[in-house]
Amino acid sequence: MALLHARNLIAFPGGDNASDTLIGSVHLNRTALELWNFTLYSNGTLSNGSKCILTFAPHAPAYLFPNGSFTNDTSCYSPVNPIGTRAGIAIGYAVVFGVALVLTLVNLNKHGSLHLPAEKRFYPIGRRWQWYWASWACATAMVSLLTCVDVDRYYLPELPLVLTNFFWYLMQMGAMAIVWEAVRHWGSWMERQFIDPDPFALRDDDWRSKIEFWLPLVFYLFLWLNFFMVIPRNWGDIEHQRYPEQIINEAMPTATDTRFKVAAFFLVVCWLITVFSLRHSIKHYCPRNRGIINRIVGFIRYMPARFMLVVPLAAVVPAYQALIAWEFPYSPLNLEGDQAAIYAGGYTPTLLILFIQVLFGFFRPNEDLELQHQRRVRGQELDREMGIVHKPSWWRRMNGEYIPANESMRERLDRNVREINGNRAPAAPADAPATNPVELGPVSPTRPTAKQYTGRSGTRRREREAEIAAGMLFPDASERSAAAMARRHAELMMDGPPSRAPFGGGSTGSTNQPPQQIRSMLDV
């Protein structure tokens, strides 16, 4: 590695004459080298401050022109070394993170699907954020790990060392956000189950709701403060690890400056907010406990199993960032850092958080489907309390209550009319087609209909309209009703004295009948 190449100035070796030098078994123009201020270093590089080339075989230049340019030269910042320990471990981790990404997308499709209408109080994106952040963590981890290949292969450290740490810090942010969103959404899911049986069980303007509104804002505030402390900065000094003096004077002070220390503190605040959110949800949506000891026991008892694993793992993320902000030998910013510490403290906690989330995601059902199941269970319990016994599904088919899926509205009304008439088909007129539709059919001109009411009584008008509608929908019943009313009227008119003629009219009806015989005073 570059640190092993001691960067010391050495004189140009002798050549065939005073203007010639032999470097890497190649004769170069010494006069041109001195004219363009090239210096030979003990690590096998030739540099003038603006250009650096390798001088050992097979990368040595073939010829030097008087203008200071070389033929077939190789830059010092080229991947000429074989893959080392850091790159070999990184490739293995990258493959595992790729598997985690695929499984994360499967869980996103499972838990992000909607099976109930979206509610304003519980947005669908709320359940998806933890999987979005998991995808972010997988993607940034894979970029960081694959870039480690060039960190090992570059002869002198340059851009790959910066890129691998740039995406590593973004992965750390994603790991904290995964745990936060998992905890926050679990509280939202508990609230949803709490108010589903009774929407008015919880208020929308109490202290509980205000805390749940402000906590996400405070968390992301400190998470983005961590981002602004780490990412937008001058990364050039991290590349200056080409010899021991440069590491001590430039790289180490930059990697352990105040900004990295403050960034680690912001992640600690994010972790504390996550724990507070978990405690808040358990307090309001789980059975309450009295006393300090009972509250601690209840906090552990009602905490989901996955949070017992991912919350402590999330604490490792800020702890490791704080460690490397003070101890440069364990930092991934160090080109020759401790590989065991880098992968155990830098990548393994995030990887474990991802797989724990994925594993529990496969076992947990979709929340909409689970809510539907809970509603069915509550409905069955209410039916049992009220003594309602639902018939099995085959009962309706056996008793003719099965409704075909493709049945039209006309056929449904026709079936309802047959049920009212004793499951008898309506009698068809002589000149009507065989189908004889019931509703919206033509009204026969000989069919008696009720006269339209022209009076002022609204009640009577509505009764007459209902009578007209009934006569059109159920003509047989209307005809039978009209005939029954006619018979009743005839029966009422059979007994008693004849009706009087109008004033001024004829009296033939009374003179043509025999005189009334009075038998008692009751007949008068």
Side-chain angles (χ1 to χ4, degrees):
M1 298 299 294
L3 182 57
L4 301 178
H5 304 305
R7 187 179 173 89
N8 298 321
L9 297 176
I10 61 175
F12 291 115
D16 295 340
N17 50 49
S19 63
D20 182 71
T21 181
L22 184 63
I23 301 176
S25 303
V26 177
H27 290 275
L28 299 177
N29 190 337
R30 183 172 183 173
T31 304
L33 291 174
E34 293 176 350
L35 176 64
W36 295 102
N37 297 322
F38 277 99
T39 305
L40 183 63
Y41 294 91
S42 60
N43 60 359
T45 61
L46 187 66
S47 175
N48 64 348
S50 62
K51 185 175 184 179
C52 180
I53 63 172
L54 302 178
T55 61
F56 51 88
H59 309 291
Y63 183 76
L64 174 62
F65 293 97
N67 62 358
S69 59
F70 295 86
T71 301
N72 296 334
D73 61 328
T74 302
S75 173
C76 299
Y77 310 103
S78 300
V80 298
N81 293 327
I83 293 177
T85 305
R86 182 170 186 163
I89 300 175
I91 293 175
Y93 267 77
V95 173
V96 181
F97 271 102
V99 174
L101 177 60
V102 175
L103 299 178
T104 296
L105 296 178
V106 173
N107 276 277
L108 174 61
N109 179 66
K110 175 184 177 181
H111 295 281
S113 301
L114 293 179
H115 300 276
L116 289 174
E119 302 178 28
K120 184 178 180 181
R121 193 168 180 177
F122 305 99
Y123 292 99
I125 196 173
R127 71 178 77 169
R128 300 170 184 165
W129 267 117
Q130 55 184 315
W131 306 111
Y132 290 154
W133 278 113
S135 303
W136 166 278
C138 291
T140 52
M142 293 173 63
V143 175
S144 174
L145 291 165
L146 293 177
T147 312
C148 286
V149 176
D150 282 339
V151 172
D152 274 1
R153 296 195 62 204
Y154 266 51
Y155 188 76
L156 293 182
E158 204 196 22
L159 185 61
L161 181 62
V162 173
L163 287 179
T164 187
N165 287 281
F166 181 89
F167 285 97
W168 178 80
Y169 277 104
L170 294 179
M171 180 202 68
Q172 297 280 284
M173 294 177 55
M176 295 299 298
I178 292 171
V179 179
W180 157 254
E181 286 296 337
V183 171
R184 180 207 57 80
H185 175 63
W186 178 75
S188 176
W189 166 236
M190 295 294 290
E191 179 187 7
R192 189 180 182 188
Q193 297 178 92
F194 198 89
I195 69 172
D196 187 66
D198 182 9
F200 303 100
L202 298 175
R203 296 175 54 186
D204 294 337
D205 56 349
D206 57 349
W207 184 246
R208 173 198 57 83
S209 60
K210 293 179 180 178
I211 290 178
E212 294 176 355
F213 173 79
W214 287 105
L215 271 184
L217 302 179
V218 177
F219 174 86
Y220 282 109
L221 170 64
F222 282 96
L223 190 67
W224 287 115
L225 285 175
N226 173 267
F227 173 85
F228 287 117
M229 286 290 104
V230 173
I231 302 302
R233 61 179 301 134
N234 181 17
W235 291 84
D237 292 339
I238 302 298
E239 303 174 1
H240 297 167
Q241 302 186 42
R242 292 148 194 163
Y243 53 93
E245 292 80 5
Q246 192 181 47
I247 295 174
I248 296 173
N249 296 329
E250 299 183 35
M252 184 182 297
T254 303
T256 57
D257 63 1
T258 305
R259 294 187 60 176
F260 281 111
K261 293 181 174 66
V262 175
F265 168 75
F266 287 149
L267 279 192
V268 172
V269 176
C270 291
W271 185 82
L272 293 176
I273 294 174
T274 303
V275 175
F276 177 80
S277 177
L278 180 59
R279 174 69 184 92
H280 170 83
S281 300
I282 293 176
K283 175 183 177 181
H284 290 280
Y285 306 122
C286 295
R288 296 191 177 185
N289 297 280
R290 302 295 181 182
I292 298 178
I293 304 299
N294 291 333
R295 290 179 181 178
I296 296 175
V297 173
F299 178 74
I300 299 174
R301 175 185 177 185
Y302 296 111
M303 183 190 303
R306 61 183 173 123
F307 292 158
M308 294 183 181
L309 300 175
V310 299
V311 172
L313 287 172
V316 180
V317 175
Y320 181 72
Q321 279 202 22
L323 173 66
I324 64 176
W326 272 272
E327 298 294 333
F328 185 68
Y330 304 102
S331 174
L333 297 170
N334 186 358
L335 187 65
E336 297 292 338
D338 188 344
Q339 304 302 317
I342 291 174
Y343 285 102
Y347 291 95
T348 303
T350 303
L351 188 62
L352 293 177
I353 289 173
L354 288 169
F355 273 97
I356 290 172
Q357 283 285 105
V358 166
L359 180 63
F360 280 87
F362 279 121
F363 285 102
R364 290 185 295 112
N366 181 281
E367 294 177 2
D368 286 352
L369 298 179
E370 176 63 20
L371 207 61
Q372 291 178 344
H373 172 70
Q374 294 179 9
R375 292 175 180 177
R376 288 194 297 268
V377 171
R378 289 197 301 268
Q380 293 171 1
E381 292 178 354
L382 292 176
D383 291 342
R384 284 195 297 268
E385 292 177 0
M386 299 176 64
I388 300 176
V389 179
H390 293 280
K391 297 180 177 64
S393 58
W394 54 265
W395 181 270
R396 302 180 64 185
R397 298 176 182 269
M398 295 295 294
N399 291 273
E401 299 180 9
Y402 173 69
I403 301 177
N406 56 350
E407 185 181 29
S408 65
M409 183 59 67
R410 180 180 295 273
E411 294 171 345
R412 185 171 299 181
L413 289 176
D414 190 9
R415 178 170 50 79
N416 292 339
V417 171
R418 288 197 301 270
E419 291 178 359
I420 294 175
N421 293 334
N423 210 17
R424 293 183 290 102
D431 56 347
T435 56
N436 187 23
V438 176
E439 78 285 359
L440 304 180
V443 180
S444 175
T446 60
R447 183 176 299 166
T449 58
K451 297 182 180 180
Q452 186 175 4
Y453 178 71
T454 58
R456 297 183 178 180
S457 174
T459 303
R460 184 57 178 166
R461 182 182 297 106
R462 286 190 294 271
E463 292 177 355
R464 186 61 59 84
E465 291 173 355
E467 185 180 352
I468 294 174
M472 296 178 65
L473 290 176
F474 308 103
D476 295 341
S478 176
E479 292 175 359
R480 290 194 299 268
S481 176
M485 291 179 63
R487 288 195 303 269
R488 179 59 177 166
H489 185 269
E491 292 175 358
L492 293 175
M493 296 305 296
M494 289 177 62
D495 298 330
S499 58
R500 290 187 177 182
F503 180 78
S507 58
T508 57
S510 60
T511 57
N512 294 334
Q513 295 182 2
Q516 183 178 8
Q517 300 293 330
I518 300 176
R519 290 174 293 182
S520 67
M521 293 299 297
L522 295 177
D523 295 333
V524 177

